[in-house]
Amino acid sequence: MNAHIKNVEYAVRGELAIKAEALRDQLNKTNSLPFKTIVNCNIGNPQQLQQKPITFFRQVASLCDNPDLLLSENRHIVSQLYPEDALQRAEVLLEHIGSVGAYSHSQGIPHIRENVAKFIAERDGYAADPENIYLTQGASAGVQSILSILVKDKSTGILIPTPQYPLYSATLSLLDATPVPYLLDESQDWSLNVTDLETSVSTARANGTDVRALVIINPGNPTGQCLSEENMREIIEFCYTQQIVLLADEVYQTNIYEPEARPFHSFKKVLMSMDSIFHDLELVSFHSISKGMIGECGRRGGYFEAHAIDPEVMSQIYKIASVSLCPNVHGQILVDLMCQPPKQGDPSFEKYSQEIGSIYSSLRRRSRKLEACFNSLEGVTCNPAYGAMYLFPQIRLPAKAIADAEAHGKAADNFYCLEMLDATGVCVVPGSGFGQKEGTWHFRSTFLPPEDLFDDFCENLTNFHKQFMNKYRD
Amino acid sequence: MNAHIKNVEYAVRGELAIKAEALRDQLNKTNSLPFKTIVNCNIGNPQQLQQKPITFFRQVASLCDNPDLLLSENRHIVSQLYPEDALQRAEVLLEHIGSVGAYSHSQGIPHIRENVAKFIAERDGYAADPENIYLTQGASAGVQSILSILVKDKSTGILIPTPQYPLYSATLSLLDATPVPYLLDESQDWSLNVTDLETSVSTARANGTDVRALVIINPGNPTGQCLSEENMREIIEFCYTQQIVLLADEVYQTNIYEPEARPFHSFKKVLMSMDSIFHDLELVSFHSISKGMIGECGRRGGYFEAHAIDPEVMSQIYKIASVSLCPNVHGQILVDLMCQPPKQGDPSFEKYSQEIGSIYSSLRRRSRKLEACFNSLEGVTCNPAYGAMYLFPQIRLPAKAIADAEAHGKAADNFYCLEMLDATGVCVVPGSGFGQKEGTWHFRSTFLPPEDLFDDFCENLTNFHKQFMNKYRD
C-alpha cells in the first residue's frame, strides 16, 4: 500500500467525527445518552445545521435540472412558482451549457468563467482573464491540483501556517512533500510575522529543502484572523524576493465580521495596487461556494484564478483537469450565481438581500456569543473571529487531565474534546489536528448551531467545562 | 514542477479535442470552414450530442434542489408539473439527505449506499454490504483513489489492457507507477487471453516489478468487447493464484447490444458463483451514471464496491475520501435513481421504460450503421461493438501518408484524424492515445451523433476517407 497515505491525517473528519457518527446511530436506536442530539461543530457545514439555502440560487438550479419547466406550454403554471429573473437566468445558463448532464469544458464552462472574471474585476478594480480561471469541485480540489503540480518530490517545501486547515498537511503527506510550518501569533490576533516567515524559509533552505510556495488562509481557518493590507504587501514583497508562489485560500472572503476595522482585501487586488515589478509574482487565489452566506458545501463548487503563472505550468494544469474530465456542472452553476447574484431592480433582489443579510447578522451574533462564552470559562482565552466560521480557543488544562490523557495514549486536547462529545453531543476538533504552538492546547468549533438553540448550546459547553475542570482539578 | 505530470497523456481531451475547440470558435465567428458544425466523437458525452435526459431523474433532482416545491401550499400547482412518484421520491431522499447543500458522509449518503447494495444484490443474486460501497464523483475519481492507494512507488506494476481507456495510463504516470500492458486480441473480437496475461506478469516480475492489480474494462473501452463468463472465471483464477487485486471497470454494463450472444456478467457475480476459496479475491468494481442510457456525465456520479479488501486498506480508503470531504450530492442522487428507477406500476414507469428503450435501440442501430460504414472503407476493418459506446476500426494507411505524417512529426493515426477533423469537423481520437499493437493504426469514434444526422455523418466520413486515400495513394 501507498505508505504516504498512512501518514495522512485529517482531523476534521477524524476520530472525533467518526465517534460522533457512532453516537448518532446509538441515539437513533436508544435514548440512553445524556443528550438528545449530536451537534457537528467539527466542520463548516452550515446547511447541516439548518441554515437555509438562498432561494434564488436553488430556483435557478432546479430549472436547469428540469428544463421542461421552461417550455412555453408550462410557463403559465411555472410563473406562479418562479420569479421572472430566475426563469431568465436559467435560460441564459442553459443556452451556454446545453445540458447539465453533459461533460463541460475541462476548465469550466466559458460563460461562467467570464462571469467569474467580471466578479473579480468588480471586487478588485483590476481586470481578470477568463483563461486564467479554473472552475473546480470545491476549493479543496483546486488546492490539491495546484499542490500536485508544484511538488517535485520530498525536497519540495511548502510554507503552511500553524495552525492550518489540515487539507494542506494531508495533501502534502499524500504527495510526500515537506511542509515548512510558520507560526501565527496568537497574542497578536493570529497575525502573520514576515520575520518569522523569513526564518522558516532560510532554515528550510539551509536543510536542502526547495521552498516553492506559501499557503495563506485569509480570513483564517481555524483562527479567524483577517490580514491588514499593509501586512499583505509585506507578504507579497517577501514572496517576490524569495521567488515563492503565493497560494491564497480566500474561501471566507465574505465572512467578515468587523468590516470597518478588518475588511477583506484579496491578494490579487493588493498585488495589482503595488509597483508593477511585483505584478509578475505567481499567485493562485481560491474561492468556493461552500462558505460565505451561501454554504452550498454538498454541491462541490469553486474556482481558482492563476495569476502570472508560467504558460508551461498552465498547460499542465489544463491536462490534469482534463483527466478528471470536468468539475460537476451543478457546482459550476452555483459559482455563476455566487459571482452574479440578483442586482438592484431585479425581481429577486430584495429577497436575496434579506436572506444574505439575515444569515450574515446571525453569524456575527453567534460568533460574538460563542467568543464571550469561551472567554468566560476557567483557563480559556479566545481571540475574536474577524472572519471565517470558527473560533479557536486556547484551553489551559489541569496537570491531572494531561496525565490522564497521556495514560490513555491521547493528546490532552483530544482527550478534552472526546469528553465534551460524550457529555454534550457537541463534536469539535482538537487543536492538534491543525497544529499549535508546543505546550499549548486548543480546539476549533464552528459557531453554526441554529440561533434559537444557541443559548442552550453555550450553557451545555459551560457546564461541561466546569465539570471537567472540577473532575481533574489538581 | 512535478515531472510525472509532464509524462501524463490523455488523448481523449488532447491535441484533437483542443483543435476542435479552436475550430468551433472559428465557426462561431466566420463561415469559412468546409463544414457547418464540430461533431465531438472523441468522448462518450451523449447529452452534448442531443441525447435527452431521463425525465423522472431530472424531475426528482429538481425537486431536491428546490424543496419549496414540496411545500403543501404549492402542491396543487406542482402536481400539474410532477408525477406523484417523483414527489414521493424527492421527499424520501430529502428525509435522508437533509439539504443537498450540506456535505454528506464522506463515503456517500448511507440511504443511497443501501439502495446501491440492493441494486447489486438484485443484479447478481448475491448480497452486497453498503459499508463496502463508496459513492464517487464519476467512476474516474474512484479509479484514481484506488490506484493511489495500491501504488507504493515506481516498483508497483498495474496490468492494463492495450488498447485501454487512457484514464489508467494517465493516473499511473501521475503516481509514477509502472503500467504492465497486456494485449487484447483484435482478430478474436478483442478477447483477453489468460496465457498472455501470465506472460506479462512473469516478465514484469522477472524485471523486479511488483505486479499488484489487473485492470479490466468490460464492456471494453475503446474496443467494445464483452467477456464471456468462462473467460471471466479464468481471469478470476489467474488473479487468485497470482495474488493480484482485480479492478473491474464496468461502467458500460447496460450498453450491451447482443444481449443473447454476449450478455453482461459482473465480476462480482461470477466470483460469487465460483468455489468459495475464490471469494477472498480482492475485487473493486466501478460503475457510473455517465454511461448506459442515462448519460449524466456532467453531474459526476458513480460508485465502487470493494469486495474482500483488507480492513486496514479500507480504513485508508475512508481517510482519503474524507480529505475531499464528500462526493457532490447531485451525483449521489443520480446514483440512487439509476439503482432504483421507477418500477412496474409506478406512475412514471411507462415513460421511463419508453425513454430507456428508445435510447437503447437507437444506440444499437447507430452502432451497426457506423460499423458497416467503417467496414465499407478501403483498408479499414472494424469489429462490432458488443458493448460500450465506441468503435475502434483499424486503418491501413498508404506508405506516402505514413511518410508525410513522419515528416510532420506526427503518428500516422494522429495525422489521419487531424485531416479528418479539418475536412469534416468530426473529432475522433487516434489509436495511439489508447495504445495499439506495434505497426497497426486505429482510431476511436463514439456512435453518439443524433440519429437524424447519422446518414450525413457516415457519408462525410466516407467521402473524407476516399479523398485521403486518393491523395496519398502510392
Side-chain angles (χ1 to χ4, degrees):
Chain A
M1 199 171 67
N2 184 332
H4 312 144
I5 288 183
K6 288 204 183 169
N7 299 331
V8 169
E9 285 186 16
Y10 189 69
V12 172
R13 291 209 154 185
E15 182 185 2
L16 266 288
I18 291 169
K19 186 170 183 189
E21 285 291 329
L23 290 176
R24 178 176 285 125
D25 285 349
Q26 201 177 326
L27 270 180
N28 288 341
K29 283 175 201 145
T30 67
N31 243 336
S32 58
L33 294 173
F35 45 84
K36 289 207 182 63
T37 173
I38 296 290
V39 185
N40 280 101
C41 292
N42 55 311
I43 187 164
N45 193 8
Q47 295 192 23
Q48 185 193 34
L49 295 171
Q50 275 75 62
Q51 182 176 304
K52 291 267 167 296
I54 303 298
T55 303
F56 179 77
F57 292 1
R58 292 300 196 87
Q59 286 172 334
V60 176
S62 68
L63 291 165
C64 291
D65 249 336
N66 186 5
D68 286 356
L69 298 179
L70 297 167
L71 296 174
S72 56
E73 69 249 39
N74 290 326
R75 204 61 170 241
H76 65 290
I77 310 175
V78 172
S79 57
Q80 297 171 59
L81 298 163
Y82 286 88
E84 192 53 31
D85 52 349
L87 295 162
Q88 281 171 9
R89 176 62 79 89
E91 276 167 354
V92 170
L93 280 166
L94 288 179
E95 199 177 295
H96 288 279
I97 295 171
S99 167
V100 299
Y103 294 124
S104 75
H105 191 293
S106 298
Q107 191 170 349
I109 293 153
H111 169 75
I112 296 181
R113 284 189 278 124
E114 282 166 24
N115 277 340
V116 173
K118 276 184 210 156
F119 159 77
I120 294 172
E122 281 162 26
R123 182 193 66 189
D124 294 343
Y126 297 97
D129 182 349
E131 289 305 304
N132 292 338
I133 289 159
Y134 272 76
L135 304 187
T136 57
Q137 311 222 92
S140 303
V143 167
Q144 289 174 317
S145 299
I146 294 293
L147 286 177
S148 76
I149 286 166
L150 288 172
V151 168
K152 185 166 162 258
D153 54 32
K154 188 87 197 161
S155 72
T156 304
I158 307 286
L159 285 155
I160 58 172
T162 299
Q164 51 103 33
Y165 176 54
L167 166 68
Y168 293 97
S169 49
T171 305
L172 295 179
S173 282
L174 207 54
L175 295 168
D176 197 28
T178 301
V180 181
Y182 64 90
L183 264 185
L184 298 178
D185 187 349
E186 185 167 11
S187 70
Q188 302 291 318
D189 277 338
W190 298 111
S191 73
L192 191 160
N193 184 324
V194 174
T195 318
D196 288 351
L197 268 186
E198 277 162 2
T199 312
S200 294
V201 171
S202 46
T203 311
R205 286 186 172 159
N207 292 329
T209 299
D210 174 17
V211 181
R212 293 193 177 185
L214 164 63
V215 170
I216 297 201
I217 312 172
N218 180 51
N221 175 5
T223 46
Q225 92 285 2
C226 197
L227 298 177
S228 72
E229 207 172 338
E230 193 190 335
N231 197 191
M232 293 168 78
R233 274 196 219 101
E234 291 175 330
I235 294 164
I236 289 167
E237 285 176 24
F238 164 80
C239 289
Y240 181 80
T241 314
Q242 305 278 350
Q243 294 192 285
I244 283 175
V245 180
L246 179 53
L247 305 180
D249 177 339
E250 300 179 332
V251 300
Y252 296 100
Q253 58 189 263
T254 59
N255 296 95
I256 297 294
Y257 307 112
E258 297 289 347
E260 311 294 313
R262 307 270 183 149
F264 169 75
H265 306 283
S266 77
F267 268 103
K268 171 87 181 300
K269 183 190 82 178
V270 175
L271 176 69
M272 294 307 292
S273 72
M274 290 168 68
D275 188 284
S276 65
I277 63 156
F278 295 110
H279 295 187
D280 291 342
L281 177 70
E282 295 190 290
L283 164 68
V284 185
S285 309
F286 301 90
H287 196 12
S288 167
I289 60 170
S290 301
K291 310 302 171 189
M293 268 44 77
I294 301 172
E296 290 280 356
C297 308
R299 306 180 99 88
R300 317 305 298 118
Y303 75 81
F304 63 79
E305 183 189 15
H307 170 82
I309 299 291
D310 182 86
E312 161 74 356
V313 175
M314 287 300 277
S315 74
Q316 300 300 325
I317 293 176
Y318 178 78
K319 196 171 65 180
I320 288 308
S322 76
V323 176
S324 298
L325 297 163
C326 70
N328 83 80
V329 174
H330 283 81
Q332 297 189 52
I333 288 173
L334 247 281
V335 172
D336 186 84
L337 296 167
M338 170 177 80
C339 290
Q340 302 297 334
K343 293 192 171 33
Q344 190 114 39
D346 293 347
S348 296
F349 179 73
E350 197 175 331
K351 184 166 198 176
Y352 167 78
S353 310
Q354 180 270 318
E355 288 176 342
I356 292 279
S358 126
I359 295 169
Y360 171 75
S361 36
S362 169
L363 278 175
R364 190 152 89 146
R365 280 193 299 273
R366 283 178 280 166
S367 125
R368 289 177 177 174
K369 204 173 248 184
L370 191 59
E371 179 202 336
C373 166
F374 286 150
N375 278 314
S376 76
L377 303 180
E378 179 188 354
V380 176
T381 52
C382 184
N383 283 327
Y386 293 115
M389 293 182 171
Y390 315 98
L391 290 165
F392 197 62
Q394 183 173 163
I395 37 173
R396 290 159 196 84
L397 298 171
K400 192 155 167 282
I402 297 172
D404 251 40
E406 255 174 47
H408 286 84
K410 303 266 180 215
D413 51 3
N414 199 23
F415 182 76
Y416 176 87
C417 295
L418 284 166
E419 292 226 353
M420 184 196 292
L421 176 60
D422 278 330
T424 63
V426 174
C427 181
V428 298
V429 188
S432 42
F434 304 91
Q436 53 200 343
K437 197 171 167 180
E438 181 94 25
T440 67
W441 304 108
H442 300 76
F443 64 88
R444 185 189 83 167
S445 177
T446 71
F447 38 84
L448 296 173
E451 200 154 12
D452 55 338
L453 305 175
F454 216 78
D455 287 335
D456 283 355
F457 169 68
C458 292
E459 198 185 317
N460 288 341
L461 289 183
T462 305
N463 290 339
F464 157 72
H465 187 77
K466 279 183 191 157
Q467 280 163 21
F468 183 93
M469 294 303 273
N470 288 335
K471 182 171 165 191
Y472 293 102
R473 201 170 292 286
D474 303 304
Chain B
M1 200 171 67
N2 184 333
H4 311 144
I5 289 182
K6 287 204 185 169
N7 299 332
V8 169
E9 285 185 17
Y10 189 69
V12 173
R13 293 209 154 185
E15 182 185 1
L16 267 289
I18 291 169
K19 186 169 184 193
E21 286 289 330
L23 290 177
R24 179 176 284 125
D25 285 349
Q26 203 177 323
L27 270 180
N28 288 341
K29 283 173 200 146
T30 68
N31 244 337
S32 58
L33 294 172
F35 44 83
K36 290 206 181 62
T37 173
I38 297 291
V39 185
N40 280 101
C41 292
N42 56 311
I43 187 163
N45 192 8
Q47 295 192 23
Q48 185 193 34
L49 294 171
Q50 276 72 64
Q51 182 177 303
K52 291 268 168 295
I54 303 299
T55 304
F56 178 77
F57 292 0
R58 292 301 196 87
Q59 287 172 333
V60 175
S62 68
L63 291 165
C64 291
D65 249 337
N66 186 3
D68 286 356
L69 299 179
L70 296 167
L71 295 173
S72 55
E73 69 250 39
N74 291 327
R75 203 61 170 241
H76 65 290
I77 310 176
V78 173
S79 55
Q80 296 171 59
L81 298 163
Y82 286 89
E84 191 54 31
D85 52 348
L87 294 162
Q88 280 170 11
R89 176 63 80 90
E91 276 167 355
V92 169
L93 280 166
L94 289 178
E95 199 178 293
H96 288 280
I97 295 171
S99 168
V100 298
Y103 293 124
S104 75
H105 191 291
S106 298
Q107 189 169 351
I109 293 153
H111 169 74
I112 297 180
R113 284 189 278 125
E114 281 166 24
N115 277 341
V116 173
K118 275 184 210 156
F119 159 77
I120 295 172
E122 280 162 26
R123 183 194 66 189
D124 293 345
Y126 298 97
D129 181 349
E131 288 304 305
N132 292 338
I133 290 159
Y134 273 76
L135 304 187
T136 57
Q137 310 222 94
S140 303
V143 167
Q144 290 174 316
S145 299
I146 294 294
L147 286 177
S148 75
I149 286 167
L150 288 172
V151 169
K152 185 166 162 257
D153 54 33
K154 188 86 195 160
S155 72
T156 304
I158 308 285
L159 285 154
I160 59 172
T162 298
Q164 51 102 34
Y165 176 55
L167 166 68
Y168 294 96
S169 49
T171 305
L172 295 179
S173 282
L174 207 54
L175 295 168
D176 196 28
T178 301
V180 180
Y182 64 90
L183 264 185
L184 298 178
D185 187 350
E186 185 166 12
S187 70
Q188 301 292 319
D189 277 339
W190 298 112
S191 72
L192 191 160
N193 183 324
V194 174
T195 318
D196 288 351
L197 268 185
E198 275 162 5
T199 313
S200 294
V201 171
S202 46
T203 311
R205 286 187 173 157
N207 292 329
T209 299
D210 174 18
V211 180
R212 292 195 178 183
L214 164 63
V215 171
I216 296 200
I217 311 173
N218 181 51
N221 175 5
T223 47
Q225 92 286 1
C226 197
L227 299 177
S228 71
E229 205 172 341
E230 193 189 336
N231 198 190
M232 293 169 79
R233 273 195 221 103
E234 292 175 329
I235 294 164
I236 289 167
E237 284 175 25
F238 164 80
C239 289
Y240 181 80
T241 313
Q242 303 279 350
Q243 294 192 285
I244 283 175
V245 180
L246 178 54
L247 305 180
D249 178 337
E250 300 178 333
V251 301
Y252 297 100
Q253 58 188 262
T254 60
N255 295 96
I256 298 294
Y257 307 112
E258 297 290 348
E260 311 294 315
R262 307 271 183 148
F264 169 75
H265 305 282
S266 77
F267 268 103
K268 170 87 181 300
K269 184 190 83 178
V270 175
L271 175 70
M272 294 307 292
S273 72
M274 290 169 69
D275 188 285
S276 64
I277 61 156
F278 296 110
H279 296 187
D280 291 343
L281 177 70
E282 294 190 289
L283 164 68
V284 185
S285 309
F286 301 90
H287 197 13
S288 167
I289 60 171
S290 300
K291 310 301 171 187
M293 269 43 78
I294 301 173
E296 290 280 354
C297 308
R299 307 179 98 88
R300 317 306 298 118
Y303 74 79
F304 64 79
E305 183 190 14
H307 170 83
I309 299 290
D310 183 88
E312 160 74 358
V313 175
M314 288 298 279
S315 74
Q316 300 299 325
I317 294 175
Y318 178 79
K319 195 172 64 180
I320 289 308
S322 76
V323 176
S324 298
L325 297 163
C326 70
N328 84 80
V329 174
H330 283 81
Q332 296 189 53
I333 288 173
L334 246 280
V335 172
D336 186 85
L337 296 167
M338 170 177 80
C339 290
Q340 301 297 333
K343 291 193 172 33
Q344 189 114 40
D346 292 347
S348 296
F349 179 74
E350 198 175 331
K351 185 167 199 176
Y352 167 78
S353 309
Q354 181 270 318
E355 288 175 342
I356 292 278
S358 126
I359 294 170
Y360 171 74
S361 35
S362 169
L363 278 175
R364 191 153 88 145
R365 279 192 301 272
R366 283 178 279 166
S367 125
R368 289 175 178 178
K369 203 172 249 185
L370 191 59
E371 178 202 336
C373 166
F374 286 150
N375 279 315
S376 76
L377 303 180
E378 179 188 355
V380 175
T381 51
C382 184
N383 284 328
Y386 294 115
M389 294 182 169
Y390 316 97
L391 290 164
F392 197 63
Q394 183 172 163
I395 38 175
R396 288 158 197 85
L397 298 171
K400 192 155 168 280
I402 296 172
D404 251 41
E406 254 173 48
H408 286 84
K410 304 265 181 217
D413 51 3
N414 199 24
F415 182 76
Y416 176 88
C417 296
L418 283 165
E419 292 226 352
M420 184 196 293
L421 176 60
D422 278 330
T424 62
V426 174
C427 181
V428 298
V429 188
S432 42
F434 303 91
Q436 54 202 345
K437 197 171 166 179
E438 182 94 23
T440 67
W441 305 109
H442 299 77
F443 64 87
R444 186 189 80 166
S445 176
T446 71
F447 38 83
L448 296 173
E451 200 154 12
D452 55 337
L453 304 176
F454 217 78
D455 288 334
D456 283 354
F457 169 67
C458 291
E459 197 184 319
N460 288 342
L461 290 183
T462 305
N463 290 338
F464 157 72
H465 186 77
K466 279 183 191 157
Q467 282 163 20
F468 183 93
M469 295 303 272
N470 288 335
K471 181 171 168 192
Y472 294 102
R473 201 170 293 284
D474 304 303

